[in-house]
Amino acid sequence: MSTSNQNLYAALRAAFPADLDTWAVETDQGLVYTWRDLDRASAMVANLLQSLGLPEGARVAAQVDKSVEAMVLYLATLRAGLVFLPLNTAYQKAEIGYFIADAEPAVVVCTPAHFGWVSKIAFKAGAQAVFTLGDDRSGSLLERAAHHSDVQTLVPCAADDLAAILYTSGTTGRSKGAMLSHGNLLSNAQVLHAYWGWQSGDVLIHALPIFHVHGLFVAIHAALLNGSPMLWCVQFEPSQVIAWLPRATVFMGVPTLYVRLLADPRLDAEAARHMRLFVSGSAPLLIDTFRAWQARTGQTILERYGMSETTMLTSNPYRADARHGGQAERRGGTVGFPLPGVSLRLVDDRDHPVATGTVGHIQVRGPNVFQGYWRMPEKNREAFTADGWFRTGDVGQQDGRGYLSIVGRNKDLIISGGYNVYPAEIESVINELPGVVESAVVGVPHPDFGEVGVALVVARPGAAMVPEAVLAALKASLANYKVPKRCVLVPDLPRNAMGKVQKNLLRDTYRDSFAG
Ligand code: MCA
Ligand code: AMP
């Protein structure tokens, strides 16, 4: 272990500009924060957390609306050497109940309106403190932090100390908490900083939620590590992003954000003239969107690929990449090359590497690969090969020049507007509804979200069931984005000789549900 402090915040803080009184964040609500504001506020919240005398490795869970203070809470958790556990604001009671029971956070931060039910769940799971944080700087977290010093001594961390746990749903059974260390996050942030050519004068438009890897790590770390200010959308709004483009240089989005921006006629080359980089990821970017963006703005989107377990794995080149014969081309429909330091191989079902050009399972290794799933030793054994490669569950193909294309997944997963939806989870909720015999949820193309779920439900003979009621029942217990956009009652589900539901047939049958 190096003797220097490997706390990720040390590296982020070291990159703050010399003049701390310049702007660091400007929000779409007209608020401006300086670098000094970020440093002082995160010190106060870190001191509050430290005053609780929590044990090493204690978790700080947060289900709060996007705000600069929510980012400050993340930075404070790093500073205090604790483990950040961000939770999607769409999660409902049962989902939150599971995460809190599984992760046993010592501190839970929620919106003021949810304090009643969240605190009940949290204290039952052994939490020591539950604070509130509103999107308007209200709530007990900041009230309590105001009593603490705005100077903090950074807690020392080793590179493999945990910094965050991100829950990713399981294809079967329970959601798994991916444990990411300070070293995982810092190595990836540094690689992306160099690979994407971050430079003096850069300004990032931050338009993504901050409870997943893309918005929380990829976007925020890169900007902070470059001492670059952020134009901060609390919620993605195409007109706001377009209005900000002339003041910005970098934008990151999931494909749905690009589709929605293209739908606004004010997006053109003139509006994007100062931009040097548009990054897309979290879901496949359709080649039509890639081309339409080029035609409208004159700029080429850079697509990259990653996972919660690994942060970023591959990227199209920003500039000529010497390792690949000096090529600089960003190729639509591909996710580019393995990032420096990331090893990637394509293998067959027996983990043997396949020949170039052949489709294979994607496996990776590198300093960015997580520390394993929280308290799930059996899942860790399945997730890694005997020689230490992580099985991504994605299926890909590399061309002769080394560009990787994701051609499928061997996990039953729908990616909708950049959020992951696991059919198994939705099916198990549907199957619990009265009158349901069985169900299948499949992903079909959608013009806005890329892909959405369609639920096929078999009802018990004589049961009075209507599709709208099934969807309404799902809405009551699941995060909204997981609810299928269509439900169809069917007499039975197609099965193969082994009795397995033939989801490919269902996908074909319903693939035009949202066409046009
Ligand atoms: C909202 N809805 C959705 C989604 N979002 N349904 C399916 N998929 C979604 N993604 C629901 C709403 O609850 C609403 O339901 C209805 O669809 C219409 O919502 P709308 O107003 O259009 O939604 P929105 O609030 O504008 O949000 C759309 C969004 C948002 C801006 C695209 O989903 C978003 O921010 N997505 C980004 C996700 C992201 O950051 N992913 C990165 C994960 P109702 O009408 O019933 O109320 S990190 C990752 O994947 C890896 C590591 C990586 O590589 O980055
Ligand atoms: P998550 O569970 O949110 O970490 O989602 C990770 C998954 O998103 C990956 O395993 C891929 O299946 C998918 N993904 C991320 N980026 C891309 C991309 N650029 N193209 C296709 N799929 C992607």
Side-chain angles (χ1 to χ4, degrees):
M1 187 193 109
S2 151
T3 48
S4 66
N5 191 350
Q6 302 294 306
N7 189 314
L8 168 61
Y9 187 79
L12 302 177
R13 177 64 184 81
F16 282 19
D19 183 356
L20 290 178
D21 293 316
T22 54
W23 73 288
V25 186
E26 180 180 323
T27 74
D28 51 5
Q29 294 159 338
L31 298 172
V32 177
Y33 298 72
T34 64
W35 295 94
R36 192 182 303 282
D37 292 334
L38 296 187
D39 196 44
R40 288 181 53 202
S42 59
M44 290 160 94
V45 177
N47 283 326
L48 165 63
L49 295 173
Q50 284 179 265
S51 74
L52 301 173
L54 304 174
E56 209 173 293
R59 277 80 58 209
V60 176
Q63 190 195 28
V64 291
D65 291 320
K66 183 176 176 182
S67 67
V68 175
E69 289 71 22
M71 173 176 70
V72 161
L73 171 62
Y74 165 58
L75 298 177
T77 307
L78 292 177
R79 293 181 75 153
L82 300 169
V83 182
F84 193 60
L85 169 44
L87 294 165
N88 193 321
T89 45
Y91 292 147
Q92 302 219 35
K93 263 186 208 167
E95 293 157 316
I96 293 294
Y98 168 77
F99 295 125
I100 290 184
D102 191 57
E104 297 183 324
V107 176
V108 178
V109 185
C110 65
T111 56
H114 293 171
F115 180 77
W117 64 266
V118 173
S119 59
K120 238 185 242 160
I121 293 172
F123 288 127
K124 197 167 157 219
Q128 195 167 319
V130 180
F131 297 114
T132 57
L133 176 63
D135 59 2
D136 54 358
R137 288 167 288 161
S138 60
S140 58
L141 182 78
L142 300 181
E143 281 164 20
R144 291 280 304 276
H147 300 289
H148 289 267
S149 165
D150 61 4
V151 178
Q152 187 250 5
T153 309
L154 192 60
V155 170
C157 288
D160 56 4
D161 284 346
L162 289 195
I165 297 180
L166 272 88
Y167 273 86
T168 83
S169 297
T171 36
T172 53
R174 305 184 300 136
S175 273
K176 300 166 287 186
M179 301 189 289
L180 292 156
S181 68
H182 287 260
N184 290 146
L185 298 179
L186 180 58
S187 67
N188 209 238
Q190 286 170 332
V191 163
L192 294 177
H193 182 258
Y195 202 73
W196 291 346
W198 280 82
Q199 58 198 43
S200 158
D202 270 338
V203 175
L204 172 77
I205 298 179
H206 192 299
L208 289 163
I210 56 168
F211 35 68
H212 289 303
V213 161
H214 200 161
L216 183 63
F217 299 149
V218 185
I220 290 178
H221 291 169
L224 296 185
L225 206 52
N226 198 54
S228 278
M230 290 185 259
L231 292 163
W232 184 266
C233 298
V234 167
Q235 253 173 353
F236 171 68
E237 177 51 58
S239 57
Q240 177 67 73
V241 171
I242 293 168
W244 269 343
L245 284 177
R247 292 178 57 196
T249 59
V250 182
F251 176 81
M252 299 185 189
V254 300
T256 300
L257 270 50
Y258 288 98
V259 169
R260 291 188 181 185
L261 284 165
L262 279 165
D264 191 319
R266 286 167 293 186
L267 177 78
D268 58 18
E270 175 62 16
R273 68 192 179 282
H274 291 306
M275 293 294 293
R276 67 164 186 86
L277 182 59
F278 288 98
V279 177
S280 175
S282 310
L285 180 73
L286 294 182
I287 192 75
D288 287 353
T289 312
F290 177 85
R291 290 194 183 127
W293 193 268
Q294 258 176 342
R296 182 86 75 80
T297 67
Q299 307 232 10
T300 305
I301 296 174
L302 177 154
E303 187 171 5
R304 62 36 171 203
Y305 154 62
M307 295 183 73
S308 300
E309 288 91 334
T310 62
T311 64
M312 298 304 99
L313 290 166
T314 73
S315 171
N316 268 280
Y318 172 66
R319 54 164 78 93
D321 189 327
R323 295 172 311 151
H324 302 281
Q327 291 179 84
E329 191 194 2
R330 296 176 205 161
R331 297 192 58 202
T334 85
V335 292
F337 309 121
L339 285 163
V342 174
S343 306
L344 183 145
R345 69 179 190 184
L346 296 175
V347 299
D348 62 19
D349 289 341
R350 290 176 303 146
D351 293 336
H352 293 154
V354 299
T356 303
T358 310
V359 170
H361 305 291
I362 303 174
Q363 298 186 346
V364 293
R365 259 187 355 189
N368 54 313
V369 175
F370 73 140
Q371 311 293 300
Y373 294 113
W374 171 255
R375 292 181 180 163
M376 285 193 175
E378 75 294 352
K379 295 284 178 205
N380 291 334
R381 278 191 292 276
E382 289 165 19
F384 289 91
T385 64
D387 52 350
W389 292 82
F390 174 61
R391 304 177 200 273
T392 63
D394 292 310
V395 176
Q397 191 172 19
Q398 257 174 323
D399 69 14
R401 294 193 285 170
Y403 284 92
L404 179 73
S405 302
I406 313 279
V407 299
R409 307 176 196 122
N410 48 26
K411 43 194 177 191
D412 190 11
L413 162 68
I414 298 167
I415 304 185
S416 186
Y419 287 139
N420 290 4
V421 180
Y422 283 86
E425 181 188 0
I426 319 304
E427 288 157 8
S428 70
V429 179
I430 299 176
N431 294 347
E432 292 295 311
L433 298 175
V436 171
V437 176
E438 61 174 349
S439 63
V441 173
V442 294
V444 300
H446 188 273
D448 182 32
F449 292 122
E451 198 180 16
V452 294
V454 171
L456 295 319
V457 178
V458 181
R460 210 168 351 94
M465 186 167 290
V466 284
E468 293 72 25
V470 173
L471 296 181
L474 294 181
K475 262 190 187 170
S477 62
L478 289 171
N480 225 335
Y481 68 87
K482 296 182 189 172
V483 178
K485 299 279 186 242
R486 184 179 176 201
C487 173
V488 184
L489 299 181
V490 292
D492 51 33
L493 297 173
R495 291 181 185 279
N496 65 16
M498 311 291 288
K500 200 169 178 288
V501 175
Q502 291 172 297
K503 288 202 166 177
N504 51 337
L505 294 185
L506 293 172
R507 268 190 289 271
D508 287 346
T509 306
Y510 294 97
R511 66 173 301 110
D512 292 332
S513 293
F514 302 94

